Amino acid sequence: MTKHYGALLLAGAAVAVIGCDGTSSKTAAKSTTFVTLAYDGTPLANVQVRLKQSADGITLDQSVTNEHGVAHFHALPSPEPESYVVAMESISDGGWMLKASVVDKFCDSLRLKPFSETPQQTIELPRRAVHSLSSIH
Protein backbone atom coordinates (compact mmCIF):
# COMPACT_ATOMS: atom_id res chain seq x y z
CA MET A 1 0.00 0.00 0.00
CA THR A 2 2.97 2.30 0.65
CA LYS A 3 3.94 1.87 -3.01
CA HIS A 4 0.71 3.59 -4.06
CA TYR A 5 1.52 6.77 -2.14
CA GLY A 6 5.13 7.16 -3.23
CA ALA A 7 8.08 4.86 -3.37
CA LEU A 8 9.76 4.96 -0.01
CA LEU A 9 13.27 3.67 -0.26
CA LEU A 10 15.25 2.54 2.68
CA ALA A 11 18.52 1.32 1.31
CA GLY A 12 19.63 -0.52 4.44
CA ALA A 13 22.07 0.25 7.21
CA ALA A 14 25.06 0.36 4.87
CA VAL A 15 23.40 2.83 2.53
CA ALA A 16 23.41 6.48 3.38
CA VAL A 17 20.69 8.68 1.90
CA ILE A 18 17.64 10.81 2.76
CA GLY A 19 15.43 11.92 5.64
CA CYS A 20 11.77 12.23 6.49
CA ASP A 21 9.24 14.86 7.47
CA GLY A 22 7.70 17.57 5.33
CA THR A 23 9.49 20.23 3.41
CA SER A 24 10.11 23.43 5.29
CA SER A 25 10.55 26.92 3.91
CA LYS A 26 14.28 26.54 4.58
CA THR A 27 14.43 23.62 2.12
CA ALA A 28 13.76 25.93 -0.81
CA ALA A 29 16.71 28.19 0.05
CA LYS A 30 20.13 27.34 -1.31
CA SER A 31 22.97 26.22 0.91
CA THR A 32 26.53 25.10 0.27
CA THR A 33 25.70 21.68 1.74
CA PHE A 34 23.92 19.49 -0.80
CA VAL A 35 23.67 16.21 -2.66
CA THR A 36 23.08 15.88 -6.40
CA LEU A 37 20.91 12.93 -7.42
CA ALA A 38 21.03 11.53 -10.96
CA TYR A 39 19.70 8.45 -12.73
CA ASP A 40 21.62 7.19 -15.76
CA GLY A 41 23.22 10.63 -16.14
CA THR A 42 19.96 12.59 -15.86
CA PRO A 43 19.18 14.76 -12.79
CA LEU A 44 16.21 13.51 -10.76
CA ALA A 45 13.82 16.27 -9.69
CA ASN A 46 11.10 16.06 -7.02
CA VAL A 47 12.77 13.36 -4.94
CA GLN A 48 12.57 13.69 -1.18
CA VAL A 49 15.96 12.82 0.29
CA ARG A 50 16.16 11.92 3.98
CA LEU A 51 19.38 11.55 5.94
CA LYS A 52 19.44 9.07 8.81
CA GLN A 53 22.07 7.62 11.11
CA SER A 54 20.64 4.11 10.65
CA ALA A 55 18.03 2.56 8.36
CA ASP A 56 15.44 2.43 11.13
CA GLY A 57 16.50 5.68 12.78
CA ILE A 58 14.83 9.05 12.80
CA THR A 59 15.38 11.56 10.04
CA LEU A 60 18.23 13.92 10.85
CA ASP A 61 17.62 16.28 7.90
CA GLN A 62 15.67 16.21 4.65
CA SER A 63 15.24 18.06 1.40
CA VAL A 64 13.59 17.75 -2.02
CA THR A 65 15.65 17.79 -5.21
CA ASN A 66 15.14 20.70 -7.57
CA GLU A 67 15.03 20.58 -11.39
CA HIS A 68 18.83 20.08 -11.39
CA GLY A 69 18.63 17.07 -9.05
CA VAL A 70 20.10 19.07 -6.15
CA ALA A 71 18.84 18.74 -2.55
CA HIS A 72 20.17 21.38 -0.13
CA PHE A 73 20.45 20.55 3.58
CA HIS A 74 20.09 23.16 6.33
CA ALA A 75 19.68 21.35 9.66
CA LEU A 76 22.45 18.76 9.81
CA PRO A 77 23.26 17.45 13.29
CA SER A 78 26.39 18.44 15.14
CA PRO A 79 28.37 16.34 15.52
CA GLU A 80 27.51 14.43 12.38
CA PRO A 81 27.40 10.61 12.22
CA GLU A 82 30.29 8.73 10.56
CA SER A 83 28.01 8.21 7.54
CA TYR A 84 24.42 8.81 6.55
CA VAL A 85 21.83 6.25 5.53
CA VAL A 86 19.80 7.75 2.72
CA ALA A 87 16.10 7.17 2.10
CA MET A 88 14.52 8.47 -1.12
CA GLU A 89 10.95 8.92 -2.23
CA SER A 90 9.70 10.16 -5.58
CA ILE A 91 7.01 12.75 -4.94
CA SER A 92 5.84 13.17 -8.53
CA ASP A 93 5.05 11.33 -11.79
CA GLY A 94 3.47 8.19 -10.31
CA GLY A 95 6.56 7.32 -8.31
CA TRP A 96 9.44 4.89 -8.60
CA MET A 97 11.53 2.76 -6.32
CA LEU A 98 14.99 1.24 -6.32
CA LYS A 99 15.21 -2.41 -7.27
CA ALA A 100 16.34 -4.54 -4.31
CA SER A 101 19.00 -6.34 -6.37
CA VAL A 102 20.60 -3.01 -7.28
CA VAL A 103 20.54 -1.73 -3.70
CA ASP A 104 22.44 -4.82 -2.56
CA LYS A 105 25.15 -4.31 -5.22
CA PHE A 106 25.58 -0.56 -4.76
CA CYS A 107 25.34 -0.13 -0.99
CA ASP A 108 28.87 1.20 -0.59
CA SER A 109 28.57 3.65 -3.48
CA LEU A 110 25.36 5.08 -1.95
CA ARG A 111 26.96 5.84 1.40
CA LEU A 112 27.26 9.55 2.16
CA LYS A 113 30.11 11.00 4.17
CA PRO A 114 29.60 13.71 6.79
CA PHE A 115 28.92 16.99 4.99
CA SER A 116 31.46 18.73 7.23
CA GLU A 117 34.10 16.69 5.33
CA THR A 118 32.48 16.78 1.87
CA PRO A 119 29.82 19.53 1.55
CA GLN A 120 28.82 18.62 -2.04
CA GLN A 121 28.17 14.95 -2.79
CA THR A 122 26.67 13.01 -5.71
CA ILE A 123 24.50 9.91 -5.89
CA GLU A 124 24.47 8.42 -9.38
CA LEU A 125 21.91 5.64 -9.77
CA PRO A 126 22.88 3.29 -12.61
CA ARG A 127 20.67 2.33 -15.57
CA ARG A 128 17.88 -0.09 -14.64
CA ALA A 129 18.30 0.75 -10.93
CA VAL A 130 14.72 1.98 -10.59
CA HIS A 131 11.33 0.85 -11.78
CA SER A 132 8.23 2.92 -12.21
CA LEU A 133 5.25 2.48 -9.90
CA SER A 134 2.83 4.26 -12.21
CA SER A 135 1.53 0.94 -13.55
CA ILE A 136 0.97 -0.43 -10.01
CA HIS A 137 -2.52 0.40 -8.68
Side-chain angles (χ1 to χ4, degrees), residues 36-58:
T36 302
L37 181 60
Y39 172 63
D40 195 26
T42 303
L44 286 175
N46 300 316
V47 175
Q48 187 175 51
V49 178
R50 296 180 184 103
L51 302 175
K52 300 181 176 195
Q53 187 168 355
S54 65
D56 59 350
I58 63 167

Side-chain angles (χ1 to χ4, degrees), residues 33-121:
T33 305
F34 61 86
V35 64
T36 302
L37 181 60
Y39 172 63
D40 195 26
T42 303
L44 286 175
N46 300 316
V47 175
Q48 187 175 51
V49 178
R50 296 180 184 103
L51 302 175
K52 300 181 176 195
Q53 187 168 355
S54 65
D56 59 350
I58 63 167
T59 298
L60 302 173
D61 200 357
Q62 69 179 10
S63 184
V64 175
T65 59
N66 63 20
E67 67 275 6
H68 304 290
V70 176
H72 293 271
F73 298 102
H74 300 278
L76 295 168
S78 182
E80 290 185 274
E82 290 182 22
S83 65
Y84 287 100
V85 172
V86 178
M88 295 178 274
E89 179 180 354
S90 172
I91 59 173
S92 67
D93 70 18
W96 53 265
M97 66 181 290
L98 288 176
K99 294 180 182 176
S101 60
V102 173
V103 170
D104 292 342
K105 291 179 185 177
F106 293 99
C107 281
D108 290 335
S109 65
L110 291 176
R111 185 179 310 246
L112 294 181
K113 297 177 182 178
F115 286 89
S116 58
E117 294 176 14
T118 310
Q120 291 92 35
Q121 300 184 52

Side-chain angles (χ1 to χ4, degrees), residues 15-44:
V15 179
V17 198
I18 60 188
C20 53
D21 300 302
T23 305
S24 70
S25 58
K26 291 194 300 183
T27 305
K30 290 186 178 183
S31 75
T32 58
T33 305
F34 61 86
V35 64
T36 302
L37 181 60
Y39 172 63
D40 195 26
T42 303
L44 286 175

